[in-house]
Amino acid sequence: MGHKGTDADVIVAGAGPTGLMLACELRLAGVDVVVVERLPERTGESRAGGIHSRTLEVLDQRGVLDRFLAEGEPQPVGHFSGLYLDFDESESRHPYPLMILQSAVERLLEEWAGELGVRVRRSAAVSAVGQDADGVTVGLDTADGPAELRARYLVGCDGGRSAVRKLAGIGFPGTEATMTALIGDVELPGLPEDYVWVRRTPGGDYSAIAFEPGWYRVITSEYDRVADRDAPATFEQLRESLVRVAGTDFGMRAPRWVSRFNDAARQADRYRAGRVLLAGDAAHIHFPAGGQGLNMGVQDAVNLGWKLASVVRGDAPETLLDSYHAERHPVGERVLHNTRAQAALARPGAATDALREVFGSLMVFDDVNRVLRHMLTALDVRYPVDGDHPMEGRRVFDADLKTDGGVVGVYRLLHGARPVLLDLSGGAELAAVAAGWAGRVDLVAARAEDELWPVPPVGEVPAPAALLIRPDGHVAWAAEAGGEPDTAALRAALTTWFGPARVG
């Protein structure tokens, strides 16, 4: 149970990857959370089929990555609108995208959520939202009739057609669809190749990707054809589309599921309206080029979770929640921007063919490849900061550290989803400062194994003397090696992110 008069501290609407990840983050921080999901069970559909480097790092930060690696397959390349991208093994311990179906991601996250004590209530659709100075009341349509839950905060992770977003009165501006894509998992006994990757034809393009033995993920894209978004997608529509684009259906049969998407791009004009917040597709939708949607949603959750938990526990003021929009809305804008570009590069026709040829010729240059790689993987995301150290605002690399307990990676220190003040200098100044945040911030003394740490897109920088690392793995403050640490700046960062110091 949550605080007096509430059913939980936080209600999360939606049991997809974003909602489940957020629920796990909240539980790690000791917050009571209930997830409400309108569907009675997981559908088994898998629109998303991969996890990028930064999301793999996030899962590594929580100590659960091995579960996902066991069910996925690393891919040596990525793509920008179907044009191949190379990766750099020096930038991350997990430099390659992991091919793993969304259905497996959801199952693994739900298993982890269960271990952490997250309550998931299915067949419960949000029908009303009312907030006041003390909390949020959520009306539900359930299998047993109308119901009501009360919590201090509500987070809508309920997809592109989010009921929470609409009921909270949050705008969702953007651009309309100009094309229709169909997607389904089917058998293709007549396919003469092992797989087809974004084959362009005069009518559009198609792919047939073998995610599992005997089964293909078929995707067709047709331009200047916009389907009724409320009409169900059918196997016959997928078959007819493949015939139009490829000239044959390759004997398509035995569909597991069929769905539809398009290139509409919209973003919530605010990620927070009082005690209601949005994350994942509820906050942003876009053409799923480059496989960024699921990844951005999980990263939304990891940015929001520790902040919301700090406010609920009373460690930090409610204004901390405003930093969620300030940090994540620009990230969403960039993804909408690059997916619009990828959609434009995918259109059929001689003009686009020429553009793709020129664009592809530029991608062989390391600098171009690096910019696009960082954009898709989110390894280069930098949140606004006051300081000028190149690591500040960026995600921390999983560098090896020598500690009294042996050699550990930085991410091992983040398994508990707690902030870490990492002292690599051996001095006493930081411990004196950290005393005011005892119990809220973990002070860890160690030595860096490597003299240089990779910081995309800056390059390699000297190992710092000290770092204040937020629970999401981003650096809030850093000190240069060889100099005196700016303890006033450290106190300011600690206060900004983790609330005022406590005396005694």
Side-chain angles (χ1 to χ4, degrees), residues 116-162:
L116 294 173
V118 173
R119 292 173 288 153
V120 179
R121 183 170 177 177
R122 292 189 172 273
S123 299
V126 174
S127 58
V129 173
Q131 59 176 310
D132 52 46
D134 300 316
V136 184
T137 302
V138 180
L140 300 172
D141 289 336
T142 77
D144 299 321
E148 200 171 82
L149 289 178
R150 175 117 176 129
R152 294 180 65 190
Y153 291 91
L154 166 67
V155 186
C157 304
D158 50 341
R161 302 189 187 195
S162 170

Side-chain angles (χ1 to χ4, degrees), residues 152-183:
R152 294 180 65 190
Y153 291 91
L154 166 67
V155 186
C157 304
D158 50 341
R161 302 189 187 195
S162 170
V164 171
R165 185 187 66 238
K166 295 170 185 174
L167 291 166
I170 297 174
F172 203 45
T175 51
E176 299 289 345
T178 68
M179 52 81 71
T180 293
L182 287 161
I183 180 173

Side-chain angles (χ1 to χ4, degrees), residues 14-21 24 35 37 39 41-51 59 67-68 71 100-114 120 122 157-159 281 294 298:
T18 302
L20 290 170
M21 188 71 197
C24 290
V35 178
E37 167 58 54
L39 297 175
E41 58 187 9
R42 289 195 303 273
T43 65
E45 294 186 9
S46 295
R47 292 193 178 200
I51 300 177
L59 295 169
R67 308 180 188 199
F68 296 83
E71 298 212 17
I100 181 172
L101 293 174
Q102 180 176 335
S103 57
V105 172
E106 291 181 356
R107 173 173 49 78
L108 292 170
L109 286 175
E110 189 162 0
E111 289 172 0
W112 183 35
V120 179
R122 292 189 172 273
C157 304
D158 50 341
D281 288 355
L294 182 152
V298 169

Side-chain angles (χ1 to χ4, degrees), residues 356-369 372:
R356 289 178 68 85
E357 186 173 338
V358 171
F359 199 89
S361 70
L362 295 174
M363 287 173 62
V364 302
F365 293 101
D366 289 342
D367 287 348
V368 175
N369 211 276
L372 296 175

Side-chain angles (χ1 to χ4, degrees), residues 87-307:
F87 290 86
D88 186 339
E89 295 186 8
S90 70
E91 294 177 335
S92 171
R93 289 190 191 271
H94 313 291
Y96 302 121
L98 183 74
M99 188 169 73
I100 181 172
L101 293 174
Q102 180 176 335
S103 57
V105 172
E106 291 181 356
R107 173 173 49 78
L108 292 170
L109 286 175
E110 189 162 0
E111 289 172 0
W112 183 35
E115 295 165 15
L116 294 173
V118 173
R119 292 173 288 153
V120 179
R121 183 170 177 177
R122 292 189 172 273
S123 299
V126 174
S127 58
V129 173
Q131 59 176 310
D132 52 46
D134 300 316
V136 184
T137 302
V138 180
L140 300 172
D141 289 336
T142 77
D144 299 321
E148 200 171 82
L149 289 178
R150 175 117 176 129
R152 294 180 65 190
Y153 291 91
L154 166 67
V155 186
C157 304
D158 50 341
R161 302 189 187 195
S162 170
V164 171
R165 185 187 66 238
K166 295 170 185 174
L167 291 166
I170 297 174
F172 203 45
T175 51
E176 299 289 345
T178 68
M179 52 81 71
T180 293
L182 287 161
I183 180 173
D185 285 353
V186 298
E187 293 180 0
L188 287 182
L191 189 71
E193 306 160 77
D194 290 337
Y195 71 95
V196 175
W197 174 246
V198 193
R199 181 151 305 160
R200 294 166 57 74
T201 74
D205 60 68
Y206 70 99
S207 298
I209 307 164
F211 274 95
E212 298 174 274
W215 292 89
Y216 287 85
R217 167 71 48 87
V218 171
I219 307 170
T220 65
S221 298
E222 296 184 83
Y223 294 80
D224 303 314
R225 298 171 65 104
V226 180
D228 178 358
R229 66 192 295 266
D230 294 319
T234 67
F235 171 69
E236 188 58 26
Q237 288 171 349
L238 178 62
R239 191 191 68 77
E240 291 173 353
S241 179
L242 187 59
V243 169
R244 283 194 297 269
V245 175
T248 175
D249 66 1
F250 300 109
M252 182 190 294
R253 67 188 184 196
R256 286 181 171 178
W257 62 275
V258 176
S259 188
R260 180 191 295 117
F261 63 88
N262 56 45
D263 62 340
R266 297 184 177 278
Q267 187 176 21
D269 54 23
R270 48 187 173 143
Y271 282 15
R272 178 190 177 203
R275 292 180 174 272
V276 178
L277 300 106
L278 301 176
D281 288 355
H284 39 71
I285 61 167
H286 54 84
F287 186 57
Q292 299 169 87
L294 182 152
N295 291 270
M296 185 161 54
V298 169
Q299 291 162 37
D300 285 346
V302 174
N303 182 285
L304 175 59
W306 66 272
K307 296 174 181 177

